[in-house]
Amino acid sequence: MIGSKRYLLVSMEKCIPRRFYRNISNMPIDDEKSKCAKDKGNSQKSKKEANVNIKPQLKNYDSFSPDHKGDIKVCMIGGGESLMYAAVLLKQFRLIKRIHVVDTKDSLANAILDISHIDTSPRVKYFKRKHLKEALKEIDIIALMDETNANIDVSPAAQFEAASTYVSEMAEQMVQLSSESLVAVFTRPVTAILPMVSEIYKLAGWWDPDRIIGSTAHDRMRMEALTANLLDLNPAFLSVPMVGGADSNTIVPLLSCASPINRFNNAQQEMLLQSLRTADKEMANIEFKGPVLSDGAAAAKLILALVEGLSGYKNVISSAYVRSNILPGCRYFTSQLQFGPGGIQKNFGLPKMSAAEIVLVEQAIPSINEYIEMGSKTVHNNRHITLKTV
């Protein structure tokens, strides 16, 4: 009996404080204190609700991306390792809803499955080459990448010969299955491949020059990194505009227009240009695989710029190789562009250049036109590619 009484007393002692605190808000107290306590409680509650609504438990690496989710769907086509690295980086950005990866060589299945397990917002889905039709459904941006790791130890003409069949097949299906998607061309050599893709779209009756964009992101990334290392600057805050073609032999970095520093002596300019144009050869001497890491990072950077433009972000500016009228004797040219919901929103053309840079552009034009002719002729010599039905 004594034990049961002690048990009742202990349970009552536990219950009294709970009941007391539970009902303390109903106790009669001074009106002003009551009002202050109520206001404070409401403000704390509203802050908690606001925090829950605005930022629901983001992971540390996900906080680098924009605060609101997007609805952009990206399809990446290719079989090289740079595609895999680009997919990893794009999966960090909440503006992208879905990433479809079309593996043209059936060699990336394990890697893409691994990437899909990263707990960030965009969903990654793997497709084999034969399922391209399903992969292109409701896609906003198509990234046409290299079918294999780029062979950087050969000439652009040899690269084009190796890639032309693959590009013809993919572009033909892209225009028939997802003709209104924005197209970003990364397949080397972009100087010749972009005109080829454009001609395929033109013959199919879906050509919009503002929605077919050739990448110069890798060369620009390299140039900004080289220049930043020379000046001991943070490359993230350095901008070097590019003009000319879309390969290291025809592209011209405009160091005279670089920001925030644009004063370089002749020796520095020659050294930086030489470093840019021989970077692939130096890598080929070390390792045959090529620049898959930086290539993937550069591809992700350009795709993200296109995503931001489609999402309505303002002042999204980058260099790219596109159909252009800024030089009468050159139908395709690299320049500074502003991206928007319709693709290319504005072409800034050629800025004021130094005398040395003008000479480099003039020297590049014959080679650019040669690559353009190479790409266009391949399409017109094989016109049956636009008559297939998928």
Side-chain angles (χ1 to χ4, degrees), residues 7 21 34 39 126 225 304 325 372:
Y7 175 80
Y21 287 117
S34 176
D39 291 343
Y126 175 85
L304 182 62
N325 295 320
I372 293 170

Side-chain angles (χ1 to χ4, degrees), residues 305 308-309 312-318 337-340 345-346 348:
E308 290 176 341
Y313 279 59
K314 304 296 182 183
N315 300 319
V316 182
I317 297 172
S318 184
L337 306 170
Q338 181 176 336
F339 299 125
Q345 189 169 337
K346 185 177 181 180
F348 292 98

Side-chain angles (χ1 to χ4, degrees), residues 163-173 196 200 378-379 385:
S164 59
T165 303
Y166 154 73
V167 171
S168 295
E169 182 184 344
M170 293 299 108
E172 170 209 346
Q173 296 187 60
M196 181 179 182
I200 292 172
T378 301
V379 175
I385 63 174

Side-chain angles (χ1 to χ4, degrees), residues 107-120:
S107 59
L108 302 176
N110 289 336
I112 301 305
L113 177 62
D114 193 16
I115 293 168
S116 69
H117 293 160
I118 299 173
D119 59 341
T120 48

Side-chain angles (χ1 to χ4, degrees), residues 132-144:
L132 180 63
K133 183 176 182 178
E134 183 183 350
L136 289 175
K137 284 182 180 178
E138 300 178 352
I139 290 297
D140 300 298
I141 299 173
I142 302 173
L144 182 60

